[in-house]
Amino acid sequence: MDTTRRTFLGTTAALAAAAAPSSAAPLDTLAIARRHSFLRTQPTPTFFEGLLLGNGDIGVCLTVRPDALGLHIGKNDSWDIRVSDEHVPHIKTFAQVLDLWKRAGEEAKRQGKPEMTFLESKIDFFREYSDLMQSSYRKPWPRPWPCGTVWLHWDSRMVRVVRQELDIATGAATLTFEYDDLRGTVRPFHLTCFVSRENGHISLSSDGPIPVLSVAYQANWDDQAKLPEPKLWAEGSRFSGYQHFPATAPTDAVPHPPASPKDTNFSLHGILSGNWTVQPQEPKRHRVLLGSTAPQPFRLDLTLFTPRDHAGAETHARDEATRLSAVPIATLRTESAKQWAAFWNHSAVEFQNKDLERTWYQNQYVLACCLKPGTIAPGLFGNWSSGRIGTAWHGDYHMNYNTQQVWWGVFSSNHVEQHEPYTRLVESLVPMAEWNARVQFGLPGAYFPHSAYPVPSAANPYPAPPWGYEICETPWTVQSLWWQYLYTLDEAYLRRVYPMLRAAADFLVAFVKKGADGKYHIAPTVSPENWGATVDFRLNRDCIIDIALTAFLLDAVGEAATRLNIDRDQQARWKEVRQNLAPYPDVEGPYGRVWLDVLDAPAEYVYNVPVTLAPVFPGEQVGLDLRKDQLEIARRTARTVRLEGGNDLVWQPLARARLGMLDLDWFQREVRYCTTPLGIANDRLRQTGGRYRDETNYDYMMEMGVWTENLSLPAVLNECLLQSYSGVLRLFPNTQNLGPASFRDLRAAGAFLVTAAWNGSTVTTLTIKSEKGAKVRLVNPWSNAKPQVIRLPGGTAWPHTVQGEILEFETKPGELYGVRG
C-alpha cells in the first residue's frame, strides 16, 4: 500500500512535533522527476539520439531529422514467434554429454594439451555436437519484430529544430520548432507526443497549423526472415498496417508451413486530422504515404494491438483509433499523466548530488516505459526496436544475469507490481525446466534453461555446451520469487510460487555430490562465460556462484516450507545439504586472499561479470549484517577483481554498496562512461586481457539496442540508502561521496515502507510503516544515543528493546512508527 502525500504530510508533522524538528520538507516526487527531463537542442536523426517513450508495453523512440520526425514503434509481444526444433531429437542426455566431455579431454591430452579450455569448441567431435545444439539459435527467428516507423516530412529550408524536452513526470515529449515561410515570416510551433499509459494509443499533435508535407508509415521488412509480407492500407486520412506471425518455422522439407491456431499478429491503425491525399504505393517498399498540400493543424491518433490484447486485434485497432480521435487531446494527455503520477507516488528520493538523483529518476522512468503488470516481460532490449536494432541474441531472455537484473530494484523502489511479468515468465518456463531435469539429467525437479523466448515450448531451444550447463541459472531464475514474498509477506503469492522454489531445490539437492570431505560439491559445472569444458573437469568444480545461489535457495525454500507448514520430510534434506555445502574457492593473490570463480582458477583472471562477488550479491550470504567473518575477503575481492566491462555496470557497484565500500564518485564515472546519447547506460567494454583484444571495438554492444538490464541502476542507490535483505534494517550504509539525501517509502524486507533523511552526518528523520505487522529489527542509526519509538499519528511512546546495536519493536498491520535518537 502506498503512503499518500496527505498521509505523509500529516505523519511527518506529528513526528516533528513529538520527536524532533524535521530538516526537510516532504518529498514532492513529481516536482523532483520534472527536474530531470531529457533535453535535446538540435536534430537527433539516429535511433540512439532519440527520446524514449512508452507505456510498459508499447515503446516509441522519437527521432528528429532536419527534414522529418520519426516514431520508431515496438511492442513487448510483437514477436516473430517461430522456433526451429530440428535439434531436439538429437539432444543427448547429460550422461552422454559427460561421455563426450571425457573423450574430448582424453583427446586434448593425446594432443599434449592437458590445460585446454573450451573443449566444446576445440575438439572436433565435441564441437560438432555443440554446433548442432546451437543450430536453432542460429536461425534469424524468433526475435522481436519492430512495428514500423511513422514519418512526418517537412521542407528543411522552412523548419528548424529548436528544442526537444521529454517530461518524465508525465511521459510526454514537447518539441519546439521555428517555421520560416521564406516570405519574411518566422513563427514557432510545437508538437506534443505521448503514449497512453492505459491504452495502446500513441498521440502526436501540434498547437496550430504546421508545414507537414507528408506522413508515411514504413513497415518493418527483412528478406532473410521469410515472413509473410505486411498488409498495408490507406484511404482518406486513415492508414493501417498488419503483420502476420506464423507459429511454425519453415524447414527444408516444408518451406511454407500451413497456418496454425497458434499464429499471431499485430495490427496498427492511424487517423490523421485535416485534409490528406493518399499517394500511390511503391512496389516492395512496404510503406503507405499520405500527402498534404498546405500547412494545417496536425493530429495523429495511432493504435496498436495484438491478439493478446484483444482477440480481434485488427478491428479493435480501427475502432479504438476512431473512438480516441474524437476525444480532446488535453483530456487524453491528462488521463495518461494521472497514471504516471500514480506510478511516481510509490516512492521518492532526493540527493544533494543531482547526477545521482538524475540516474535514479530517469532509469525509473525508462524502466516503467517497457515494464508493467499484465504485459509480456521485456527481453534484452525491451520494447524499443527499429530494423535490427533490439534483435541481437534474439532479444531473448538470458538467465545468467541479463533477465534477472531488470528486476533487481523493483522491490526496494516499492514497485512490486512491476515484478508480475517475471513471475508469469518463470511459470511459463516450468514445463521446459521439468523436461530438462527429467529428460536431460534424469533427475527430479526443474532445471531452468540458459535462453528462453516469450513462446511456450517444452523443449530447450539452446542446450549447447557449455551454456546449457551453468548450474547457477536454476536457483537464479527463481530467486526473485522469494524476494517478492520477503518484501511483501504476501502468503497467497508464496503459495503460488512455492512449487517453483521446491522444484529448483529438488533438482539441486539431487545434482550435488557428497565428497570424502563430507561436503556437497557441485561438479561438473560451468562458470558463467569462463573456461567452458576443461580436461578432467579441472576448472569445472564448485563454481562460487553455484554455491552461493544454492545456499540462498535452500535457505529460502526451507523457510517457505516452514511458513506454509508443508514438506517437513524434505526440509531435513535441504538443511543437511545447505549446512554442508563446499566452501567458496579462494586463492592467495598478489593483494591477499581473494575468492575465485571455480576451484583452481588462477588469481588475477579478467572476468566478464563480478562472479567472484556472488557470496555478497546475488547470493546474499555475506554482508554488513551477515557472516561478518568473511567481510575482509569479500572487500578485498571487491577492491581487486578484474573486469572486462560490458556486463557489470549494476552488479559490481551493487555488491560494493552491500559491503559499505562503494565510492559514489567512481559509480558516477562508470555510469557516464556507459551512457549513450539516448541518456541511458548501455554495455561498454573497459579492459583487455580477458576475451577482448586491443583491436576489439569497445562499443560493439552500445548500439545493439536499449539494454534493459542497466535500467536497474536505481537498485544501487537504494542499497546506499537502505538495506534490509538480511532481516535487519540498516539506514544509509554507504555514504562515501553521497552527501545529504532523503527518501520516501522505499520498501524493506518484512513488508515495511521506510522514510528517512540524512544530513551528511546523521539521520534526521525516520518513519516506518508496517504493512503486515512484522517485527522491526533496526541497526540503531544513532550509536551514541538511546533511540525512542513513537506510534503515529498521535506520538505516543511505543515499547522497544535495544540489544547492542539492534533496536527491536513489534508492529501492527497498517500502522506507522517514528524513530529518533
Side-chain angles (χ1 to χ4, degrees):
M1 182 182 297
D2 302 328
T3 302
T4 66
R5 188 170 185 270
R6 177 177 295 178
T7 301
F8 180 74
L9 286 166
T11 54
T12 301
L15 179 60
S22 175
S23 61
L27 301 184
D28 185 336
T29 321
L30 286 176
I32 301 172
R34 197 165 286 116
R35 294 202 295 252
H36 299 296
S37 297
F38 290 94
L39 296 174
R40 308 285 189 267
T41 56
Q42 61 185 22
T44 51
T46 71
F47 185 96
F48 288 95
E49 298 172 286
L51 296 172
L52 298 178
L53 297 89
N55 65 2
D57 183 25
I58 293 173
V60 172
C61 181
L62 188 159
T63 61
V64 182
R65 304 189 319 224
D67 67 331
L69 177 150
L71 302 178
H72 306 269
I73 305 166
K75 195 173 187 295
N76 278 338
D77 60 345
S78 177
W79 267 71
D80 175 354
I81 62 173
R82 298 167 296 171
V83 180
S84 294
D85 58 4
E86 296 97 325
H87 69 291
V88 172
H90 307 287
I91 296 176
K92 295 182 181 294
T93 65
F94 188 56
Q96 292 170 324
V97 172
L98 289 185
D99 181 64
L100 271 181
W101 188 332
K102 292 173 183 176
R103 286 171 49 209
E106 293 302 313
E107 175 61 20
K109 287 189 281 188
R110 190 190 68 78
Q111 294 178 13
K113 301 175 182 178
E115 303 298 310
M116 184 181 288
T117 59
F118 296 100
L119 297 172
E120 72 283 349
S121 62
K122 296 177 181 176
I123 300 298
D124 289 345
F125 59 84
F126 204 3
R127 183 178 64 249
E128 290 172 3
Y129 176 71
S130 182
D131 287 347
L132 179 59
M133 292 301 101
Q134 296 178 52
S135 59
S136 172
Y137 206 74
R138 288 173 176 163
K139 296 286 196 297
W141 52 76
R143 72 184 218 192
W145 193 260
C147 299
T149 303
V150 172
W151 293 103
L152 279 68
H153 303 108
W154 52 72
D155 189 331
S156 63
R157 297 173 301 172
M158 298 181 175
V159 176
R160 182 174 75 87
V161 182
V162 177
R163 179 183 174 89
Q164 305 174 55
E165 180 174 3
L166 171 55
D167 177 10
I168 67 173
T170 62
T174 301
L175 289 72
T176 302
F177 302 86
E178 282 187 351
Y179 170 39
D180 184 341
D181 67 1
L182 303 183
R183 296 182 176 88
T185 300
V186 178
R187 64 173 179 83
F189 70 87
H190 301 86
L191 286 169
T192 301
C193 184
F194 64 92
V195 183
S196 170
R197 186 78 180 153
E198 58 183 348
N199 198 355
H201 176 224
I202 302 168
S203 171
L204 180 64
S205 61
S206 69
D207 61 348
I210 64 171
V212 173
L213 300 175
S214 59
V215 171
Y217 169 63
Q218 181 76 54
N220 187 61
W221 182 249
D222 183 346
D223 287 329
Q224 295 180 352
K226 300 180 181 179
L227 278 177
E229 291 201 13
K231 294 194 307 182
L232 302 176
W233 169 88
E235 183 177 294
S237 59
R238 292 174 176 258
F239 63 90
S240 66
Y242 174 91
Q243 178 65 60
H244 182 72
F245 298 121
T248 307
T251 64
D252 292 340
V254 186
H256 303 288
S260 159
K262 296 180 180 180
D263 292 359
T264 186
N265 61 75
F266 77 73
S267 295
L268 174 150
H269 195 95
I271 299 178
L272 293 162
S273 63
N275 300 310
W276 299 85
T277 302
V278 177
Q279 306 298 305
Q281 290 197 36
E282 301 173 55
K284 298 300 181 182
R285 194 168 180 185
H286 304 106
R287 79 164 187 170
V288 292
L289 182 68
L290 295 87
S292 174
T293 58
Q296 59 180 320
F298 183 86
R299 174 170 174 173
L300 168 63
D301 291 279
L302 190 71
T303 54
L304 174 61
F305 296 101
T306 66
R308 193 174 183 278
D309 304 311
H310 194 280
E314 194 168 9
T315 300
H316 187 63
R318 181 198 62 207
D319 292 347
E320 278 295 278
T322 301
R323 180 182 70 85
L324 292 164
S325 66
V327 180
I329 286 291
T331 301
L332 296 172
R333 184 173 176 181
T334 298
E335 289 303 313
S336 185
K338 285 180 181 178
Q339 296 291 324
W340 274 107
F343 167 82
W344 287 116
N345 189 54
H346 283 226
S347 59
V349 301
E350 188 168 39
F351 297 99
Q352 183 182 65
N353 183 323
K354 297 310 173 188
D355 284 342
L356 294 178
E357 191 175 278
R358 182 180 306 108
T359 294
W360 196 89
Y361 280 92
Q362 290 187 345
N363 281 277
Q364 295 282 15
Y365 162 78
V366 180
L367 184 62
C369 285
C370 71
L371 173 63
K372 73 176 179 182
T375 64
I376 293 295
L380 289 173
F381 307 105
N383 51 4
W384 296 283
S385 56
S386 182
R388 296 196 176 183
I389 295 171
T391 66
W393 290 293
H394 299 270
D396 66 5
Y397 305 120
H398 277 32
M399 308 308 288
N400 65 341
Y401 103 88
N402 307 81
T403 302
Q404 294 92 327
Q405 184 169 301
V406 174
W407 283 271
W408 281 357
V410 300
F411 302 115
S412 56
S413 294
N414 196 23
H415 285 289
V416 177
E417 78 287 350
Q418 289 186 317
H419 190 244
E420 189 271 341
Y422 185 80
T423 301
R424 282 187 288 104
L425 169 62
V426 179
E427 287 173 329
S428 74
L429 296 178
V430 167
M432 183 193 302
E434 291 176 336
W435 183 92
N436 287 339
R438 182 180 67 253
V439 176
Q440 285 193 269
F441 288 90
L443 296 176
Y447 177 78
F448 286 89
H450 170 72
S451 288
Y453 313 121
V455 181
S457 175
N460 191 335
Y462 193 72
W467 311 93
Y469 303 99
E470 293 181 8
I471 301 303
C472 67
E473 296 185 0
T474 287
W476 212 343
T477 297
V478 300
Q479 179 180 45
S480 63
L481 307 182
W482 176 243
W483 278 344
Q484 178 161 340
Y485 172 72
L486 279 186
Y487 281 77
T488 63
L489 299 185
D490 182 342
E491 186 171 310
Y493 178 80
L494 181 59
R495 291 187 181 279
R496 172 184 174 184
V497 301
Y498 175 78
M500 293 180 278
L501 297 171
R502 172 178 169 159
D506 285 346
F507 173 84
L508 289 169
V509 297
F511 185 84
V512 297
K513 298 176 181 64
K514 197 168 190 177
D517 58 357
K519 299 294 185 182
Y520 286 97
H521 297 270
I522 301 177
T525 185
V526 181
S527 176
E529 303 188 28
N530 304 304
W531 316 118
T534 62
V535 178
D536 296 330
F537 307 144
R538 181 174 63 88
L539 295 173
N540 298 105
R541 296 191 296 268
D542 290 342
C543 182
I544 193 169
I545 195 167
D546 295 356
I547 297 170
L549 284 171
T550 296
F552 176 95
L553 177 59
L554 295 181
D555 285 340
V557 74
E559 185 177 346
T562 298
R563 296 191 180 199
L564 296 176
N565 194 27
I566 55 177
D567 287 339
R568 292 185 179 180
D569 55 329
Q570 290 291 103
Q571 291 183 48
R573 172 63 174 160
W574 294 332
K575 185 175 181 180
E576 195 260 336
V577 172
R578 168 66 184 91
Q579 292 180 339
N580 293 283
L581 281 171
Y584 302 131
D586 60 14
V587 70
E588 190 68 29
Y591 307 102
R593 186 156 291 275
V594 294
W595 285 325
L596 295 171
D597 65 324
V598 292
L599 279 174
D600 302 322
E604 293 291 280
Y605 185 73
V606 179
Y607 293 105
N608 64 310
V609 293
V611 60
T612 55
L613 291 174
V616 178
F617 190 85
E620 299 191 331
Q621 302 299 300
V622 178
L624 296 175
D625 298 298
L626 286 175
R627 299 172 182 86
K628 295 182 181 181
D629 59 306
Q630 297 188 52
L631 277 178
E632 183 179 352
I633 190 171
R635 286 172 168 159
R636 185 181 303 113
T637 303
R639 282 195 302 270
T640 63
V641 63
R642 301 184 70 195
L643 295 165
E644 66 193 17
N647 302 109
D648 63 341
L649 184 64
V650 178
W651 186 348
Q652 184 186 13
L654 198 157
R656 290 189 179 194
R658 284 282 176 92
L659 294 169
M661 57 178 291
L662 174 61
D663 179 347
L664 285 162
D665 280 354
W666 170 85
F667 172 67
Q668 288 178 259
R669 291 196 300 271
E670 293 295 296
V671 172
R672 284 196 296 267
Y673 175 68
C674 295
T675 297
T676 72
L678 278 171
I680 53 94
N682 271 353
D683 289 348
R684 199 177 202 184
L685 306 186
R686 120 169 29 87
Q687 172 72 54
T688 60
R691 296 180 299 176
Y692 302 120
R693 303 178 180 181
D694 287 337
E695 57 268 32
T696 301
N697 174 12
Y698 269 36
D699 283 358
Y700 85 96
M701 288 186 283
M702 290 288 277
E703 294 194 352
M704 286 181 172
V706 178
W707 285 90
T708 55
E709 64 197 46
N710 291 333
L711 301 179
S712 61
L713 280 167
V716 177
L717 298 173
N718 292 347
E719 295 296 325
C720 294
L721 303 175
L722 172 69
Q723 293 180 17
S724 66
Y725 67 96
S726 67
V728 176
L729 277 63
R730 183 179 282 269
L731 292 165
F732 301 99
N734 194 106
T735 57
Q736 186 176 352
N737 291 314
L738 172 65
S742 57
F743 61 86
R744 174 177 62 78
D745 287 345
L746 291 188
R747 180 172 288 273
F752 300 115
L753 297 180
V754 183
T755 297
W758 167 265
N759 66 8
S761 60
T762 190
V763 174
T764 58
T765 302
L766 172 58
T767 63
I768 301 171
K769 182 171 184 178
S770 175
E771 290 186 332
K772 296 296 176 66
K775 177 189 288 187
V776 169
R777 300 185 71 239
L778 168 71
V779 175
N780 182 8
W782 307 281
S783 57
N784 298 322
K786 184 178 179 180
Q788 299 178 37
V789 180
I790 59 175
R791 182 181 180 185
L792 298 170
T796 56
W798 190 255
H800 60 279
T801 62
V802 179
Q803 294 290 331
E805 65 173 2
I806 303 299
L807 164 68
E808 293 188 357
F809 59 93
E810 300 288 346
T811 69
K812 293 185 177 181
E815 295 201 346
L816 185 68
Y817 303 86
V819 186
R820 75 177 181 103

